[in-house]
Amino acid sequence: MDRHLSEDQLTRHVYRTLTDAQREMMDIHLGTCQECRASLAGHEALQRRARYSVMDRRRGISMSPQASFADIAPRLRRSRRFATLWTGSRQFVYGLATLAVLVVLAFGLALYFRDISQSAESMYKGGPQRTGAYDVKGPKHGELLWQFTTKSTIMTTPVVVDGVAYVGSQDGFLRALDSHTGEEKWKFDAGRPVLSTPAVARGTVYFGSGCIGGSDYCLRRRAGSDYYFYALDRQTGQEKWRFQVGGGVASSPLIAHGLVYFGSEDQHLYALDSRTGQQKWRFTTEDVVWGSPAMADGVVYFGAGCYLCTTSEDRHLYAVDSQTGREMWRFETGDWVESTPVVADGVVYFGSGDTHVYAVDSQTGQEKWRFKTEGGVQDSLALSAGVVYVGSRDQHLYAIDSRTGQELWKVETGGASLYGPAIADGVVYFGSNATSDLYALDSQTGQVLWRFQNFVSCCHSGGSGLALGEGVMYIVSDNVNLTAVGDPQQ
Amino acid sequence: MPDINALIQRWRAGDERAAEAIYNQYRDSTFGLAYTLLGDQADAEEVAQDSLTYALTRIESYDPKRARFSTWLHTITLSRCRNKRRRRYLPSLSLMAWLTRGGDAPDPTPGPEHQAIRETTRDEVWEAIEALSPPLREAIVLRHWADYTYQEIGDMLGCSMRTAQSRVRLAHKRLRAILAPGDLTILEENTHG
């Protein structure tokens, strides 16, 4: 080390903030450099003087005798008394505080789970896309679990959520049944037939009623000409609001983004505020809107016309903006479009009275393919794993490749009307009113896995009539029964 | 001198005489530190009383494994000195003084008696220490005042040991810069003499 020591090095030396090695190196230099020794002496002198000055402050002055322990003793005693009191009551206070925290926690959890249960929802065909595919393990057996019998024809498909099944019937009642036992929890009298399969969302059950086509039943009841769409409290069945419609409602509601959508016999598709029932917009068609709307990517899809209409004035599938009701496109078929569309992966699939199944681009409305059957295609489409399953009035169930429109397999159903299909875990479930049988098929091959005979008998056309739960199928049988079929002990 | 840990145990058990013994043992050092940092007798006494009261009432929270009692007490004292200094510099004007503006305002300059004391005991190095910024002044005072280790100084100031070392060195450099070259020469001459 030939250079002179820096000010910083000298300061570090004086204040002993060097490592032993650094100190040793510096000491070697100091041994040979008189100039640095002189500098170090100056630093040491200042350090000693600073130390002296600080210590001198201690020596130079002392606390006045008036300041004593007696001055602070009262405060210490008060503090000690409080500490003693606190020690004595600490257990009690802690217990009280713990109790309070637990109460608040329990209250919060109750609210949370209430909210969770309130947020549970269920819609026709499994949700807004109406695929008919359920994320459950479907039943592996056809055992009868329970049966609920009404005095009137059940007109809707059951909708099941949180242990409650909701169904509507021709006598004007919407019923809530325990989905495990079939016991009635409550019923609501709508005054006229309930054909609209209910939808459940945010603690509310939505459905419409009406005498579609002015049936004899309605004429006998002299039900008048007012038609309503209802919102009920899901737990109690109490009415939240009702909305007057110009015609009967067979369409099952769709709930999304705070709005509820449904079609009516009055030739409109409605969008209402789901909380208040205020109309946001309505879209006018040329015929009844019998089927149920589907939704994907902010667009609502629905058809117009119906099988029972003698001549259908409207033969279109419509795509409208879900927020404004503005038409995006329309696709013309050869006859009524009663089928509820299925939307998935940018394609809308639907059937028509002209005997075709169509696949069109969901954004542009351009046809991708069409598949011909020998009968009209009503509300009997489902989609799962790239396969469209279609029941036709030609008494067949078809499996079609969703990408190409090619037939994969078909089975004979023996009747024009079909329950389902519904799909879960690679199994296709459907019922045929002609053979009165209920089927479970392998979705890949169409092979019958099991069959429940002499069971179904209905002329039902208000919906698919079949819903799936964990190991159980809910289906309308013999017109007046809601029946749970499935695995025992489920 | 009684063992401080034994006194603390007795005070925790409720023996007020033990509290008084602790008070008497640390009274002067606490006041001394406060006075060194504040430079005002009344303020230092107030801080000392307050620090001792706080330490004795919070004796349950003192952990002998973490620090010596004196270090813990002087950390409290240091904190109160800072509060006192902060309050002292807050601008304040009494309502009455504001209402009777133009009246006699207190003269902030020291009186003749105080001035005379200051003249006779003039200490250039201490004046330079007083001119340091509070963090540097605290560091160098603690270093010289009770021979605290750099680790203890760091603990008391709420900084690392290296920062404590750095502050002490920086204080030393500032003192050299503040003091006139003549003062330093005199210091060095006295040393050699």
Side-chain angles (χ1 to χ4, degrees):
Chain A
M1 186 182 284
D2 297 317
R3 286 179 300 169
H4 290 307
L5 299 175
S6 67
E7 289 289 302
D8 186 60
Q9 285 173 310
L10 292 167
T11 306
R12 285 173 186 269
H13 193 283
V14 167
Y15 277 97
R16 299 179 183 280
T17 59
L18 295 166
T19 63
D20 289 344
Q22 288 170 329
R23 191 174 187 82
E24 200 173 321
M25 290 284 289
M26 287 175 66
D27 286 343
I28 292 168
H29 177 79
L30 287 165
T32 59
C33 180
Q34 193 176 356
E35 199 175 328
C36 283
R37 279 204 304 279
S39 296
L40 181 64
H43 281 273
E44 285 173 339
L46 177 58
Q47 186 219 26
R48 274 197 300 277
R49 191 65 182 78
R51 182 180 178 80
Y52 173 82
S53 293
V54 170
M55 297 303 284
D56 193 44
R57 306 295 284 186
R58 290 186 70 168
R59 282 192 293 270
I61 195 159
S62 61
M63 203 160 166
S64 65
Q66 285 82 5
S68 68
F69 180 74
D71 294 338
I72 69 167
R75 281 176 65 188
L76 295 186
R77 285 181 203 125
R78 275 201 303 276
S79 164
R80 176 62 54 178
R81 272 199 301 276
F82 176 76
T84 310
L85 193 68
W86 168 243
T87 308
S89 59
R90 188 164 47 190
Q91 295 300 326
F92 175 72
V93 174
Y94 281 164
L96 210 62
T98 308
L99 192 68
V101 167
L102 285 174
V103 167
V104 169
L105 206 65
F107 189 66
L109 282 173
L111 279 179
Y112 174 74
F113 284 113
R114 181 174 168 268
D115 216 38
I116 290 277
S117 69
Q118 292 284 307
S119 69
E121 61 178 38
S122 185
M123 286 181 223
Y124 177 52
K125 289 192 179 238
Q129 292 179 271
R130 313 293 197 189
T131 58
Y134 294 79
D135 189 22
V136 294
K137 297 272 186 199
K140 290 189 168 45
H141 307 89
E143 298 284 326
L144 179 66
L145 301 178
W146 55 258
Q147 198 162 60
F148 176 85
T149 305
T150 68
K151 290 177 181 169
S152 175
T153 302
I154 295 176
M155 306 293 285
T156 76
T157 298
V159 164
V160 184
V161 60
D162 280 349
V164 183
Y166 302 88
V167 284
S169 50
Q170 196 169 25
D171 58 7
F173 283 105
L174 181 88
R175 288 181 169 84
L177 310 175
D178 187 311
S179 70
H180 303 296
T181 63
E183 282 179 40
E184 184 176 290
K185 294 169 85 79
W186 54 258
K187 63 179 178 182
F188 176 84
D189 188 0
R192 54 187 64 233
V194 180
L195 285 78
S196 157
T197 293
V200 183
R202 299 199 69 77
T204 306
V205 187
Y206 301 92
F207 68 99
S209 67
C211 296
I212 302 281
S215 67
D216 288 348
Y217 179 88
C218 286
L219 293 174
R220 278 203 306 276
R221 291 256 317 222
R222 306 303 304 165
S225 58
D226 46 344
Y227 304 92
Y228 290 100
F229 184 83
Y230 296 92
L232 311 183
D233 184 289
R234 174 186 131 183
Q235 303 287 349
T236 63
Q238 292 291 309
E239 183 178 321
K240 288 185 171 182
W241 52 259
R242 66 170 72 185
F243 175 83
Q244 189 160 16
V245 194
V249 178
S251 167
S252 179
L254 183 152
I255 300 124
H257 311 305
L259 297 180
V260 54
Y261 307 87
F262 61 93
S264 166
E265 191 187 22
D266 69 3
Q267 306 187 354
H268 289 98
L269 183 87
Y270 288 88
L272 312 182
D273 185 310
S274 63
R275 292 172 69 89
T276 63
Q278 293 287 310
Q279 181 180 305
K280 288 289 181 186
W281 54 260
R282 68 176 189 179
F283 183 88
T284 307
T285 71
E286 300 298 322
D287 208 332
V288 302
V289 182
W290 181 285
S292 308
M295 180 190 275
D297 301 324
V299 181
V300 181
Y301 305 92
F302 63 97
C306 74
Y307 169 65
L308 294 175
C309 307
T310 47
T311 50
S312 188
E313 300 294 328
D314 197 331
R315 301 169 174 199
H316 292 97
L317 181 89
Y318 293 92
V320 299
D321 185 290
S322 65
Q323 291 301 310
T324 63
R326 184 175 60 85
E327 182 177 324
M328 314 283 284
W329 50 259
R330 63 174 73 186
F331 182 90
E332 187 169 7
T333 72
D335 210 334
W336 43 262
V337 183
E338 184 182 305
S339 149
T340 296
V342 175
V343 199
D345 302 323
V347 182
V348 188
Y349 307 90
F350 64 97
S352 165
D354 68 4
T355 71
H356 286 96
V357 177
Y358 293 91
V360 299
D361 186 291
S362 65
Q363 294 296 312
T364 63
Q366 293 293 308
E367 182 177 323
K368 285 182 167 292
W369 52 256
R370 67 173 68 187
F371 179 87
K372 178 149 176 59
T373 72
E374 300 303 323
V377 180
Q378 286 177 278
D379 205 6
S380 51
L381 264 74
L383 173 76
S384 176
V387 181
V388 181
Y389 301 91
V390 181
S392 168
R393 293 189 66 80
D394 69 5
Q395 305 187 8
H396 285 89
L397 176 76
Y398 296 88
I400 305 165
D401 187 312
S402 68
R403 196 168 49 82
T404 63
Q406 296 295 307
E407 180 182 311
L408 299 173
W409 51 258
K410 69 175 176 183
V411 293
E412 196 171 341
T413 61
S417 289
L418 193 73
Y419 281 75
I423 306 153
D425 199 28
V427 179
V428 181
Y429 300 88
F430 76 94
S432 165
N433 68 327
T435 61
S436 302
D437 292 347
L438 193 60
Y439 296 89
L441 308 183
D442 184 305
S443 64
Q444 295 296 312
T445 63
Q447 283 195 318
V448 177
L449 298 173
W450 52 261
R451 182 175 177 178
F452 198 44
Q453 290 181 301
N454 299 318
F455 179 72
V456 183
S457 172
C458 179
C459 51
H460 181 285
S461 60
S464 75
L466 188 157
L468 291 174
E470 202 66 49
V472 62
M473 177 195 301
Y474 303 93
I475 190 163
V476 179
S477 63
D478 296 331
N479 294 346
V480 293
N481 300 320
L482 177 65
T483 306
V485 177
D487 305 332
Q489 309 301 319
Q490 287 283 339
Chain B
M1 188 179 289
D3 175 44
I4 181 63
N5 288 326
L7 288 174
I8 289 167
Q9 286 302 322
R10 281 173 50 201
W11 169 227
R12 279 178 174 167
D15 183 353
E16 194 176 298
R17 286 172 305 173
E20 187 168 5
I22 295 170
Y23 174 89
N24 290 332
Q25 193 170 323
Y26 288 93
R27 174 182 185 269
D28 290 337
S29 67
T30 308
F31 167 76
L33 177 60
Y35 182 73
T36 308
L37 290 169
L38 294 171
D40 181 273
Q41 169 109 19
D43 284 351
E45 281 185 7
E46 190 184 323
V47 164
Q49 291 287 78
D50 194 33
S51 302
L52 283 157
T53 307
Y54 182 88
L56 289 168
T57 53
R58 301 286 196 286
I59 198 71
E60 298 295 340
S61 61
Y62 166 64
D63 181 1
K65 290 177 192 153
R66 294 183 61 187
R68 287 186 288 164
F69 179 75
S70 61
T71 309
W72 183 65
L73 173 62
H74 292 152
T75 306
I76 295 167
T77 310
L78 194 68
S79 166
R80 271 157 175 65
C81 284
R82 286 175 180 170
N83 291 344
K84 177 62 79 180
R85 198 164 50 225
R86 214 171 287 137
R87 277 199 292 273
R88 194 194 289 169
Y89 289 119
L90 284 175
S92 62
L93 180 67
S94 78
L95 185 62
M96 285 308 292
W98 185 78
L99 288 172
T100 58
R101 237 186 284 188
D104 295 334
D107 183 0
T109 55
E113 190 183 349
H114 191 211
Q115 195 69 34
I117 296 168
R118 292 286 300 272
E119 288 296 326
T120 52
T121 59
R122 185 152 192 271
D123 177 349
E124 296 84 355
V125 176
W126 179 251
E127 285 172 9
I129 290 172
E130 282 193 313
L132 294 172
S133 67
L136 300 187
R137 185 164 69 244
E138 287 169 0
I140 202 158
V141 163
L142 290 171
R143 178 68 184 162
H144 292 310
W145 187 76
D147 280 334
Y148 281 124
T149 65
Y150 289 112
Q151 185 61 59
E152 284 174 323
I153 295 170
D155 290 344
M156 292 169 81
L157 297 179
C159 62
S160 70
M161 184 186 77
R162 286 188 176 281
T163 304
Q165 287 179 340
S166 166
R167 285 187 189 176
V168 170
R169 287 199 306 271
L170 200 56
H172 179 80
K173 287 176 192 170
R174 290 273 161 83
L175 288 180
R176 281 180 67 81
I178 293 168
L179 288 167
D183 294 329
L184 288 173
T185 310
I186 293 166
L187 280 177
E188 285 170 29
E189 282 171 358
N190 289 344
T191 304
H192 294 307

